[in-house]
């Protein structure tokens, strides 16, 4: 196993723990000596990883550390390039800009050979079909999902019937022609799906809904038979 792969495996292993884990346990899972583990921990810390702890106490990885560039494989770089191009072409303006900025930040810290592979990635996103509805409605929807706040929708169903719905949005699914908001509907007292091209207007209430987004998502996945992503 290369040293780069070993460091990546150590980072991935540390991410699984929310509490300090003994060095001996980490070394055992990685199949390396304790001395090698201590050296690898020191290397990651020098590269900016926020790993708290010391020998005899245990180690805990704090959030917010980006894997160093040497950790990206060619497959990972192609996936990043393809994903960012898809989002830039199909998201709202702010999300598209974020995708382009993110890939630019990654490219800026890559060594020359990897930057060339990223720039020359041969996986191309086909032209998007013209999306129906107002793409700028996606931003307040995304913010409401992030903040776990209720939305009021003025909505027209497939039969042309208009209604007002108060929903607890917790997911947004992207398709070529439209997007679908997944939420708990207070009117129907159940999970419902709302196509964004059928939303006449919407506004945020600023009121938090009473459950956590992840709990709603898991309940919906179980009800719909949707595997976790």
């Amino acid at each position: 196993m290369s040293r780069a792969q070993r460091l990546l495996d150590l980072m991935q292993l540390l991410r699984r723990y929310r509490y300090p884990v003994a060095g001996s346990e980490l070394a055992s899972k990685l199949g390396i000596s304790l001395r090698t583990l201590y050296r690898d921990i020191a290397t990651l810390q020098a590269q900016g990883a926020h790993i708290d702890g010391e020998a005899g106490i245990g180690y805990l990885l704090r959030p917010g550390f980006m894997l160093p560039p040497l950790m990206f494989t060619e497959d990972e770089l192609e996936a990043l390039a393809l994903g960012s191009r898809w989002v830039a072409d199909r998201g709202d303006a702010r999300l598209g800009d974020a995708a382009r900025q993110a890939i630019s930040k990654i490219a800026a810290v890559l060594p020359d050979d990897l930057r060339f592979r990223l720039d020359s990635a041969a996986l191309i996103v086909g032209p998007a079909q013209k999306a129906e509805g107002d793409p700028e409605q996606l931003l307040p929807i995304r913010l409401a999902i992030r903040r776990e706040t209720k939305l009021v929708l003025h909505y027209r169903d497939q039969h042309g019937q208009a209604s007002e719905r108060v929903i607890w949005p917790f997911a947004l699914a992207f398709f070529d022609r439209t997007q679908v908001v997944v939420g708990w509907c207070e009117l129907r007292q159940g999970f419902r799906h709302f196509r964004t091209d059928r939303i006449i207007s919407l506004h945020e209430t600023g009121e938090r809904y009473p459950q956590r987004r992840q709990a709603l998502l898991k309940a919906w996945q179980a009800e719909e038979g949707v595997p976790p992503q």
Side-chain angles (χ1 to χ4, degrees):
M1 179 188 298
S2 69
R3 185 164 183 266
Q5 184 62 50
R6 195 177 69 237
L7 291 173
L8 174 59
D9 290 346
L10 175 55
M11 285 294 301
Q12 296 296 83
L13 183 58
L14 282 167
R15 289 183 189 278
R16 300 177 191 172
Y17 293 92
R18 296 185 178 181
Y19 303 98
V21 56
S24 57
E25 181 175 343
L26 293 171
S28 176
K29 288 183 178 294
L30 293 169
I32 60 177
S33 69
L34 201 54
R35 182 177 180 181
T36 298
L37 175 80
Y38 293 152
R39 189 165 58 243
D40 288 348
I41 291 284
T43 297
L44 289 172
Q45 288 173 328
Q47 291 178 347
H50 301 295
I51 302 175
D52 294 340
E54 57 186 83
I57 295 177
Y59 297 95
L60 178 66
L61 177 65
R62 299 296 181 185
F65 176 64
M66 179 181 289
L67 293 176
L70 60 87
M71 299 302 187
F72 290 116
T73 66
E74 288 191 54
D75 286 341
E76 290 167 343
L77 288 173
E78 287 188 341
L80 287 169
L82 181 64
S84 66
R85 290 166 183 170
W86 195 97
V87 173
D89 197 36
R90 288 165 171 78
D92 57 77
R94 183 163 162 181
L95 195 61
D97 287 343
R100 285 184 283 268
Q101 290 169 8
I103 204 69
S104 295
K105 288 180 180 179
I106 292 172
V109 298
L110 288 174
D112 291 341
D113 60 329
L114 291 183
R115 186 184 305 116
F116 173 78
R117 292 174 188 173
L118 179 65
D119 292 339
S120 60
L123 303 184
I124 299 172
V125 175
Q129 300 181 46
K130 181 175 176 55
E132 300 175 1
D134 181 4
E136 293 314 304
Q137 285 184 333
L138 299 182
L139 178 56
I141 293 171
R142 290 195 299 109
L143 292 177
I145 291 172
R146 188 182 304 167
R147 297 165 180 166
E148 301 182 349
T149 55
K150 297 181 182 182
L151 278 177
V152 177
L153 305 183
H154 295 276
Y155 190 75
R156 193 179 306 278
D157 65 19
Q158 68 269 32
H159 304 297
Q161 184 68 36
S163 63
E164 182 177 282
R165 307 290 188 95
V166 178
I167 69 167
W168 309 349
F170 57 84
L172 181 61
F174 284 78
F175 299 90
D176 274 336
R177 294 295 299 273
T178 189
Q179 295 78 37
V180 175
V181 185
V182 186
W184 176 269
C185 177
E186 292 189 353
L187 178 65
R188 302 302 185 192
Q189 286 296 293
F191 295 118
R192 290 294 186 272
H193 308 104
F194 302 92
R195 287 178 48 149
T196 57
D197 57 321
R198 293 177 180 161
I199 296 175
I200 302 168
S201 64
L202 62 84
H203 70 267
E204 299 176 82
T205 66
E207 178 186 356
R208 288 183 64 93
Y209 46 73
Q211 295 189 42
R212 297 310 305 267
R213 181 178 70 237
Q214 280 300 108
L216 289 168
L217 178 62
K218 288 182 179 180
W220 171 77
Q221 288 171 332
E223 183 173 299
E224 296 289 329
V226 177
Q229 296 188 10

